[in-house]
Amino acid sequence: MQKITLLGATGSIGVSTLDVIARHPDKYSIFALSAHTRVEQLAEQCMQFNPRFAVVSDAAAAQKLQQLLCESDASTEALWGVDALCQVAAAAEVDTVMAAIVGAAGLVPTLAAVKAGKKILLANKEALVMAGGLFMQAVAESGSVLLPIDSEHNAIFQCLPAGYADSGKNGVRKLLLSASGGPFRGRTLAQMHAVTPDQACAHPNWSMGRKISVDSATLMNKGLELIEACWLFDMPAQSIEVVVHPQSIIHSLVQYNDGSVLAQLGNPDMRTPIAHALAWPQRIESGVGDLNLFDIARLDFEQPNIEAFPCLAIATAAAQAGASAATILNAANEVAVQAFLDQRIGFTQIAEVVEHTLNCQPLTEPESLEAVQHTDNDARVYSSTYIKRLEK
Ligand code: NAD
Ligand code: MG
């Protein structure tokens, strides 16, 4: 029986994770669930999965949650705050931590789980983008098993050769990262000036939280994923190529030096990578239907359009610049995406905010968690101020 802490239980990945877990009550049990503010949804999840702890972000939410739990005779204890998230992520009883909080808020609890040597199912790509060096060093030191949930990285993981890390990459030449192109594929930059948050969040193939949906629409998501892949697979940015594949059936590919290219295919449903990582190295049912190649009939591929989607080029440059560039990129992007969702800036201004912040913030070596948090905070202050100027 694997005991699991699920950070970000009420989100898109969280709900899909619980769906897979509910199919295998003999294999998995929940130790703790967490949510930011959606107390009612979290209380319902607690009634179904009966965790020992449920964690929310503030004291008022914890009080409300405890009241709901008491009314329903649930034995779950409500906790709140980052320290509680770290506590349930690192608890001795826990085998596996699903890191599915969105954004920089996931970094500290995910690192706590890594340092405690847990098996980590990593959906929270921002944690790796903002603190990749520290994160991977902590993984190496603790011997924690790190399994990617992002569908592209999970696909690459599945296509890598045995002994990849220990044998000089064993013939792998290049990683080919699939991108759907998002809801605005085929448009010019000018045709995206007036798009609304709801249009940006209407992804053609995947149903996801609003932050990652906007990232998918700007292609910043692919830029973040390129940086994520550099860290996960110890690959330079030059050896990772983005391939736009609108059907989202091939989730990514690995090219070998003998001319072989291995791909992982499947219906676009996050329960596949979640089930893969939960059961690895075994396989379990995920609830995802069989792939019907006759229905799909064709698979298309195209180059990404960097002029229309500058965020991909900005992120690639940040990956190549190294040092604190990815931390700054991630922070500015989180601030800009929130401003777009709040309708304070336009869609195409997201790239402008990120690029401007990167150009104006000094690059430093991210030597400690405190240094990363300092860089993250400075970039947030700078981009928020820049956005205020744009609003005028
Ligand atoms: P979501 O917005 O649906 O859910 C986010 C979760 O994080 C919620 O449970 C929310 O309560 C919690 N949360 C938000 N802010 C928080 C804070 N400040 N402190 C503590 N908890 C907080 O997002 P999602 O789509 O499930 O994505 C989660 C992560 O997984 C993201 O990093 C995303 O990039 C990654 N991811 C998602 C998908 C997908 O299909 N949804 C695919 C690949 C990777
Ligand atoms: Mg992805």
Side-chain angles (χ1 to χ4, degrees):
M1 185 67 95
Q2 256 186 70
K3 267 213 166 131
I4 297 171
T5 283
L6 169 49
L7 304 174
T10 52
S12 163
I13 293 289
V15 168
S16 292
T17 303
L18 290 176
D19 182 283
V20 176
I21 287 174
R23 292 165 196 275
H24 304 279
D26 55 318
K27 290 192 171 71
Y28 309 104
S29 71
I30 298 285
F31 176 76
L33 297 173
S34 91
H36 189 35
T37 51
R38 287 193 215 145
V39 171
E40 281 88 6
Q41 187 187 351
L42 183 62
E44 277 171 31
Q45 292 177 333
C46 290
M47 286 163 221
Q48 188 181 352
F49 292 93
N50 196 27
R52 174 82 186 80
F53 297 106
V55 187
V56 286
S57 288
D58 61 54
Q63 201 178 5
K64 192 170 168 203
L65 176 64
Q66 196 66 70
Q67 195 184 334
L68 290 172
L69 292 168
C70 289
E71 281 165 16
S72 61
D73 281 340
S75 57
T76 304
E77 188 179 330
L79 306 173
W80 66 274
V82 177
D83 289 349
L85 286 177
C86 293
Q87 182 194 319
V88 299
E93 298 94 320
V94 172
D95 304 295
T96 300
V97 174
M98 166 60 90
I101 289 175
V102 61
L107 174 64
V108 169
T110 306
L111 261 185
V114 169
K115 287 182 179 158
K118 304 303 179 194
K119 173 174 154 186
I120 310 290
L121 314 190
L122 185 73
N124 179 209
K125 69 190 84 184
E126 295 91 346
L128 203 51
V129 170
M130 73 184 283
L134 290 175
F135 196 106
M136 296 311 290
Q137 191 188 339
V139 168
E141 282 170 7
S142 71
S144 172
V145 173
L146 178 60
L147 298 169
I149 294 298
D150 220 338
S151 57
E152 298 78 3
H153 306 74
N154 185 271
I156 290 168
F157 181 86
Q158 293 195 47
C159 296
L160 288 178
Y164 172 76
D166 308 321
S167 60
K169 303 195 169 68
N170 212 353
V172 171
R173 179 166 285 165
K174 210 165 158 186
L175 307 179
L176 305 173
L177 202 59
S178 293
S180 70
F184 306 136
R185 185 177 59 88
R187 293 198 195 192
T188 64
L189 195 60
Q191 289 168 333
M192 289 183 277
H193 281 321
V195 300
T196 65
D198 283 346
Q199 286 170 329
C201 290
H203 197 279
N205 306 337
W206 300 94
S207 155
M208 310 179 286
R210 283 173 83 77
K211 194 266 176 179
I212 185 178
S213 294
V214 175
D215 285 345
S216 300
T218 59
L219 288 203
M220 181 58 93
N221 184 49
K222 215 44 59 182
L224 299 177
E225 289 185 356
L226 186 137
I227 298 169
E228 184 186 10
C230 291
W231 288 116
L232 283 173
F233 307 119
D234 187 27
M235 271 286 183
Q238 304 85 273
S239 302
I240 304 173
E241 187 176 359
V242 173
V243 179
V244 175
H245 162 49
Q247 291 91 353
S248 296
I249 296 299
I250 295 182
H251 299 305
S252 278
L253 315 89
V254 174
Q255 188 176 318
Y256 286 79
N257 58 9
D258 63 2
S260 299
V261 177
L262 299 193
Q264 186 261 359
L265 287 75
N267 287 319
D269 187 322
M270 290 307 292
R271 290 176 301 174
T272 294
I274 291 166
H276 169 266
L278 271 173
W280 182 82
Q282 259 90 52
R283 297 269 177 177
I284 55 168
E285 288 276 350
S286 65
V288 178
D290 288 346
L291 184 66
N292 186 326
L293 286 173
F294 302 109
D295 284 349
I296 293 156
R298 56 181 283 179
L299 300 172
D300 294 305
F301 306 96
E302 51 191 71
Q303 297 264 10
N305 180 349
I306 304 293
E307 279 83 51
F309 298 97
C311 283
L312 179 56
I314 296 168
T316 306
Q320 283 160 350
S324 56
T327 314
I328 298 167
L329 172 95
N330 180 66
N333 183 57
E334 282 191 32
V335 171
V337 169
Q338 193 56 53
F340 167 67
L341 286 171
D342 296 341
Q343 296 183 287
R344 290 188 283 124
I345 60 170
F347 181 76
T348 51
Q349 286 177 312
I350 295 172
E352 185 187 330
V353 172
V354 175
E355 187 165 41
H356 198 81
T357 307
L358 266 168
N359 287 341
C360 295
Q361 291 294 103
L363 289 191
T364 52
E365 279 309 319
E367 274 155 4
S368 64
L369 179 59
E370 291 69 32
V372 168
Q373 286 169 325
H374 193 79
T375 301
D376 173 82
N377 190 57
D378 283 354
R380 280 170 200 270
V381 170
Y382 187 90
S383 47
S384 301
T385 310
Y386 185 74
I387 287 168
K388 284 207 186 90
R389 261 189 278 151
L390 288 178
E391 282 178 294
K392 281 189 188 142

